[in-house]
Amino acid sequence: MDDAKLLIDLHKQGSRQGPGRDAETEQALNLAMVDRTAPLRVADIGCGTGASAVLLARLLNAHITAVDLFQDFLDVLKERAESSGVSDRISAHACSMEHLPFAAEEFDIIWSEGAIYNIGFTQGVAEWQRFLKAGGLLVVSEITWLTDSRPAELQQHWDGEYSEVDVASAKIRILEKSGYSPVGYFVLPEQCWLEEYYQPMQSRFEGFLHRNGNSEEARRILSAEQREIALYEKYKAYIGYGVYVARKTQ
Ligand SMILES: C[S@@+](CC[C@H](N)C(=O)[O-])C[C@H]1O[C@@H](n2cnc3c(N)ncnc32)[C@H](O)[C@@H]1O
């Protein structure tokens, strides 16, 4: 089985595929001062199995266009939307965030939790800007250095994983240069990593290995996850997820 299929198998039973929590999704809505009664069109890019898409559909008077590369995740999202009674407010599209089939100025809000690294923050915020109406909001979470310097072991790991990890001031500068006016930023608390993401994933490790015949590829994937978890636990004072809220200016 290839790595993508194994990763889908590991993650599709999770309510989230990255750090986050309902309370912080709502905190971002509050920071953005979104009018919950106004009819809105929202895109959730890299939505995974739908934690934020379903919550946004419940909290807003909005239609959510949920996009992910993997149909398996969207199938779970559809089941969750149905059981939450919001399936008429969400449409799911399997496509790449690099080739979004949207019209210019189609959305009031573009939302993306823990996913923009797949295209890269700089490219993502620049390309997605045209899909927002003038004055529309971008809400995006992105892995972020919490301090100006950090231990070499941590720096080396993330340099190898994602070349755009940077401090919040650098991310905010990119937003300014890409036609947005920053509204605010906050850091996800550690519970969003440990209790909402890593611990539920760890509880799926045994079943994952069993389903996949304890294969070398499956064990390699778990050891990479375990290394990331150990590094987070050791160095969580230096690395976090920033949630960035910005308004389109042009
Ligand atoms: C870390 S997960 C976050 C998922 C979800 N937003 C959450 O917070 O639970 C990243 C998501 O991006 C999706 N993804 C990866 N590459 C993508 C691409 N090129 N286009 C669209 N989605 C992509 C993955 O399938 C995955 O669901």
Side-chain angles (χ1 to χ4, degrees), residues 19 112-118 121 140-146 154 157-159 161-168 170-171 185-188 193 197-198 228 232 238-244:
S112 183
E113 295 194 14
I116 198 169
Y117 69 90
N118 288 293
F121 187 87
V140 62
S141 70
E142 163 81 335
I143 193 142
T144 299
W145 295 130
L146 303 182
L154 182 69
H157 171 80
W158 282 106
D159 282 352
E161 292 292 316
Y162 179 44
S163 62
E164 290 193 48
V165 185
D166 212 335
V167 291
K171 298 289 169 187
Y185 150 80
F186 66 92
V187 178
L188 292 182
W193 292 72
Y197 177 51
Y198 284 150
E228 186 188 300
Y232 179 73
Y238 302 94
I239 186 90
Y241 252 93
V243 180
Y244 299 85

Side-chain angles (χ1 to χ4, degrees), residues 100 102-103 105-107 110 127-133:
L100 293 168
F102 302 150
E105 307 203 347
E106 189 173 334
F107 294 102
I110 290 182
E127 288 189 7
W128 299 350
Q129 199 248 24
R130 70 177 185 278
F131 304 125
L132 276 175
K133 295 175 185 167

Side-chain angles (χ1 to χ4, degrees), residues 15-19 44-52 67-70 73 95-98 112-115 117-119 197 241:
S15 61
R16 298 188 162 273
Q17 288 66 48
D44 184 344
I45 303 177
C47 60
T49 60
S52 52
V67 171
D68 202 275
L69 193 57
F70 297 120
F73 289 163
C95 67
S96 173
M97 62 178 72
E98 294 179 57
S112 183
E113 295 194 14
Y117 69 90
N118 288 293
I119 187 172
Y197 177 51
Y241 252 93

Side-chain angles (χ1 to χ4, degrees), residues 6 23 32 37 61 68 95 99 116 125 127 135 141 153 156 174 209 212 216 220 224 237 244:
L6 285 168
T37 62
N61 177 21
D68 202 275
C95 67
H99 307 286
I116 198 169
V125 300
E127 288 189 7
S141 70
E153 183 187 22
Q156 273 162 19
I174 290 167
L209 280 178
N212 292 287
E216 194 184 326
R220 188 168 34 76
Y244 299 85

Side-chain angles (χ1 to χ4, degrees), residues 150-154 158 190 193-194 198 226-239:
R150 72 276 331 169
E153 183 187 22
L154 182 69
W158 282 106
E190 67 180 70
W193 292 72
L194 299 173
Y198 284 150
Q226 274 163 325
R227 170 152 167 74
E228 186 188 300
I229 295 168
L231 278 174
Y232 179 73
E233 285 174 340
K234 188 170 174 190
Y235 293 123
K236 58 188 183 232
Y238 302 94
I239 186 90

